[in-house]
Every structure is written in structure tokens, then in C-alpha cells.
């Protein structure tokens, strides 16, 4: 599954190409890719044709494009346009890609849905959803008010609206409206282990297994640390670490932002060289090695997955919780 930075790479890559453009036509080449749209292909197409893509928004790993009424000329003057009521939701799944292509480019082998966009000088005319393994998909959903009145997520022109499917998840560490105080309050009440809390999308969204292990390593905290014993400074440290790891991954993927080929794996090069804990089982801990201490990264089973820790700089708490 793509992690949050990869989805953010897609959002940034896409927004400059699609924002303010009208969807002139939609072609569903494989109905399996819109199976989450319960009312079927005709309804899917009917909702989209003639709509203006007003933005590309992300919260956690959820990505959506709010749809404005084209008659409102939302693109030219967003200030006077009525708020969008619906959005095109994109689940990238394992292999989903959103590609900007010129109509002259032959169809990709796994092309599933094609959007013809209104003409824009120097920009490709089509947005294509390509998905080899069909775990991803597209559907139209409602936009609902956010529960805290803040922006729905990271966006170019933030609105206090969120795609219904994403409304239940907490803000992610890259969201400017993320509230550390609220996170810390909820964290202290959880009475669980720290890593389980970091993976809980209702507490903080967008942190997957890799980023949890990396954030814990950077913060020098063990995954089983009981959350109700965490000091404010420790909670701040692990959250800042999660944000820093994500920002580093974004920097590494930044070169692909201007590419026409917006790939969910855009940031994957980061993982080849920058991981400190995840996937380094049996290798020396870099921080300990720098201090002249010999310590080996250890892998343990955790929630049907694995956790990677350094036994020296992330010691196990006596009263650990899983
Ligand atoms: Zn270490």
C-alpha cells in the first residue's frame, strides 16, 4: 500500500494539472474500478461530466477532488462560487496510478477510467486511472462539514468540508490544522501501547507500519510503551519524528512533482537509503554505531506484522502494553 508521503506526492503532482478544469467526458473501460460507486457507471459518469475539479485534497491516505458546478465558474472566481457538494474519491490500492496524458499517447495496458479535461494551453488533455491489480478504485461521494470546522485536509484552497468516507479519521501529522493538544489528550486516555496508538486512524491518521517504526526509532521510544505513562514531551517527540520522516520522504520524492507521470511509487527511492529501523533486522543500529556501541536491530511480531527496534536506544518498558 502507498504510505502517506506517496499519496501526497500524487496530490501535489496532480493539483497543478487538474485544478479548475472541467471534466468534459468520462469513459469507464473496466467497471471493476468503480465498484465502490454503488449506483453504477451511468450514475458515476453523470455526476462527473460537466463538473469542475476545484482542488485535490488529502487527509491521511485518503485523496479526493471536490467537484464544483461548471456554471458557477468556480475556477475563475472561487470566492463567489457555491461550495462543492460532491467529490471524486480515488483509492490507489496497491498499484493504482493517476496519469496525465496527451490524447495521442496509446492507452496503457491496465487503463481503467479515462477523463477528458477542458483545454488548457500546454497541458495534457486526459487524466487516466491505471490499475494493474484492481485493488484501487474511484467513486463519487458527498462532502460533509468537518467536525472541528477546520479544513478537510491538505489542499490548495482549504474548505471546511471532507469526503464522507474520510470523516471518521483524525488529522495526519502533515495537516496544518493538526492539534497536538487534542492528540495528547486522547492518547493519554487510550491505555494501550504506543505503536498501536500511532496506527489508530481515529487518533492520528496516515502513519503506517514503516513510519511508526521509523518515528519510534527517531524518538528513542519502544513500541510497547503504555500511552497513559507518556509525558507530553515524549508524545511531542514521537509525533515530530513521524512528521520529519514523512517530510524527508517527500523531499526524496519531490523531483517527480512536475512529472506528467504521477506514480504512487514516486517516493519509493527514499526507502532504499534512508530507513533506520524498518527492514534492517540483524543490521547495526546507526545511532548506536555512531556512539561506538554495538547493537543489532531486532524484529518482533506485532499485530500480525512486525516491529523493528534497537534494544539499546529503545529499551523495552517493564510494564509494556501491546
Ligand atoms: Zn540504537
Amino acid at each position: 500500500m502507498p504510505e502517506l508521503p506517496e499519496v501526497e506526492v500524487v496530490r501535489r503532482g496532480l493539483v497543478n494539472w487538474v485544478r479548475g478544469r472541467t471534466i468534459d467526458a468520462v469513459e469507464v473501460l473496466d467497471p471493476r474500478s468503480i465498484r465502490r460507486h454503488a449506483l453504477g457507471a451511468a450514475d458515476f459518469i453523470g455526476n462527473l461530466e460537466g463538473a469542475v475539479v476545484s482542488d485535490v485534497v488529502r487527509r491521511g491516505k485518503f485523496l479526493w477532488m471536490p467537484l464544483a458546478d461548471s456554471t458557477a465558474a468556480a475556477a475563475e472566481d472561487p470566492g463567489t462560487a457555491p461550495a462543492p457538494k460532491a467529490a471524486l474519491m480515488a483509492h490507489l490500492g496497491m498499484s493504482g496510478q493517476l496519469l496525465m496524458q496527451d490524447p495521442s499517447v496509446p492507452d496503457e495496458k491496465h487503463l481503467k477510467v479515462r477523463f477528458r479535461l477542458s483545454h488548457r494551453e500546454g497541458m495534457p488533455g486526459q487524466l487516466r486511472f491505471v490499475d494493474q491489480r484492481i485493488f484501487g478504485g474511484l467513486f463519487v461521494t458527498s462532502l460533509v462539514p468537518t467536525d472541528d470546522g477546520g479544513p478537510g485536509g491538505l489542499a490548495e484552497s482549504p474548505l471546511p468540508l471532507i469526503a464522507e468516507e474520510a470523516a471518521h479519521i483524525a488529522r495526519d501529522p502533515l495537516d496544518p490544522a493538526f492539534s497536538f493538544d487534542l492528540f495528547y489528550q486522547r492518547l493519554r486516555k487510550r491505555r494501550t501501547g504506543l505503536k498501536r496508538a500511532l496506527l489508530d486512524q481515529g487518533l492520528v491518521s496516515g502513519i503506517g507500519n514503516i513510519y511508526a517504526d521509523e518515528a519510534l526509532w527517531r524518538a528513542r521510544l519502544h513500541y510497547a510503551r503504555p500511552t497513559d505513562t507518556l509525558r507530553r514531551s515524549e508524545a511531542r517527540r514521537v509525533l515530530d519524528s513521524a512528521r520529519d520522516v514523512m517530510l524527508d520522504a517527500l523531499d526524496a520524492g519531490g523531483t517527480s512533482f512536475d512529472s506528467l507521470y504521477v506514480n504512487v511509487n514516486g517516493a519509493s527511492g527514499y526507502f532504499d537509503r534512508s530507513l533506520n529501523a524498518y527492514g534492517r533486522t540483524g543490521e547495526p543500529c546507526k545511532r548506536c554505531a555512531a556512539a561506538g556501541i554495538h547493537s543489532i536491530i531486532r524484529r518482533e511480531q506485532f499485530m500480525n506484522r512486525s516491529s523493528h527496534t534497537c534494544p539499546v536506544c529503545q529499551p523495552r518498558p517493564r510494564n509494556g502494553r501491546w
Side-chain angles (χ1 to χ4, degrees):
M1 293 293 277
E3 297 271 352
L4 184 151
E6 283 95 88
V7 183
E8 178 60 15
V9 166
V10 173
R11 191 193 73 79
R12 293 185 188 181
L14 202 56
V15 71
N16 296 326
W17 301 109
V18 300
R19 190 173 177 224
R21 293 175 79 178
T22 304
I23 300 172
D24 287 337
V26 181
E27 201 180 330
V28 176
L29 292 99
D30 187 341
R32 288 176 298 177
S33 289
I34 60 154
R35 65 192 177 283
R36 290 182 181 87
H37 190 90
L39 298 174
D43 186 81
F44 177 79
I45 294 167
N47 271 287
L48 291 165
E49 286 185 347
V52 176
V53 179
S54 65
D55 209 339
V56 184
V57 188
R58 181 193 56 72
R59 180 185 289 207
K61 299 178 195 173
F62 285 88
L63 189 77
W64 65 91
M65 296 172 233
L67 302 167
D69 186 348
S70 62
T71 55
E76 278 69 37
D77 194 358
T80 58
K85 295 184 179 70
L88 172 62
M89 193 90 187
H91 273 293
L92 301 174
M94 303 288 284
S95 57
Q97 296 172 320
L98 289 161
L99 313 177
M100 294 302 302
Q101 293 286 36
D102 196 80
S104 63
V105 175
D107 287 0
E108 291 76 10
K109 189 177 173 198
H110 300 288
L111 177 62
K112 304 298 181 186
V113 183
R114 184 202 324 272
F115 301 90
R116 293 178 209 278
L117 303 177
S118 56
H119 178 73
R120 194 60 77 81
E121 200 55 46
M123 290 198 181
Q126 297 188 0
L127 170 64
R128 299 180 183 179
F129 181 68
V130 176
D131 194 9
Q132 185 179 350
R133 298 175 65 183
I134 327 180
F135 289 118
L138 304 173
F139 58 96
V140 177
T141 185
S142 300
L143 287 169
V144 298
T146 53
D147 57 5
D148 59 4
L154 209 64
E156 302 308 301
S157 48
L159 295 170
L161 298 170
I162 187 164
E164 211 168 9
E165 278 67 26
H168 66 287
I169 68 165
R171 294 185 181 279
D172 62 71
L174 297 187
D175 189 330
F178 183 90
S179 163
F180 175 76
D181 289 339
L182 184 64
F183 166 75
Y184 184 59
Q185 269 174 33
R186 289 177 174 170
L187 183 73
R188 292 274 307 200
K189 287 182 194 152
R190 277 293 200 274
R191 299 192 179 279
T192 182
L194 180 53
K195 181 167 173 182
R196 192 180 281 271
L198 292 176
L199 297 175
D200 180 344
Q201 303 294 302
L203 199 58
V204 54
S205 65
I207 302 182
N209 200 38
I210 298 172
Y211 286 89
D213 280 5
E214 291 299 305
L216 289 165
W217 183 88
R218 283 202 193 197
R220 303 176 192 229
L221 291 166
H222 191 272
Y223 61 83
R225 176 69 183 274
T227 52
D228 49 332
T229 70
L230 268 189
R231 287 191 295 273
R232 198 181 161 81
S233 59
E234 292 172 316
R236 172 71 79 176
R237 206 161 78 220
V238 75
L239 208 69
D240 285 349
S241 299
R243 185 182 294 118
D244 289 347
V245 184
M246 288 176 178
L247 289 173
D248 285 355
L250 267 177
D251 284 347
T255 52
S256 63
F257 289 165
D258 294 330
S259 166
L260 295 185
Y261 197 81
V262 180
N263 192 327
V264 293
N265 297 317
S268 61
Y270 169 75
F271 294 119
D272 298 338
R273 50 186 189 277
S274 306
L275 293 176
N276 289 303
Y278 185 87
R280 298 196 65 247
T281 312
E283 293 180 54
C285 168
K286 295 177 191 172
R287 180 168 49 214
C288 287
I293 301 161
H294 181 70
S295 178
I296 298 295
I297 298 289
R298 187 187 277 175
R299 184 176 70 183
E300 289 160 307
Q301 285 304 308
F302 178 87
M303 289 172 70
N304 298 323
R305 284 179 277 187
S306 50
S307 267
H308 304 77
T309 52
C310 169
V312 173
C313 54
Q314 298 171 272
R316 178 185 296 276
R318 274 174 301 160
N319 55 347
R321 285 208 182 99
W322 280 257

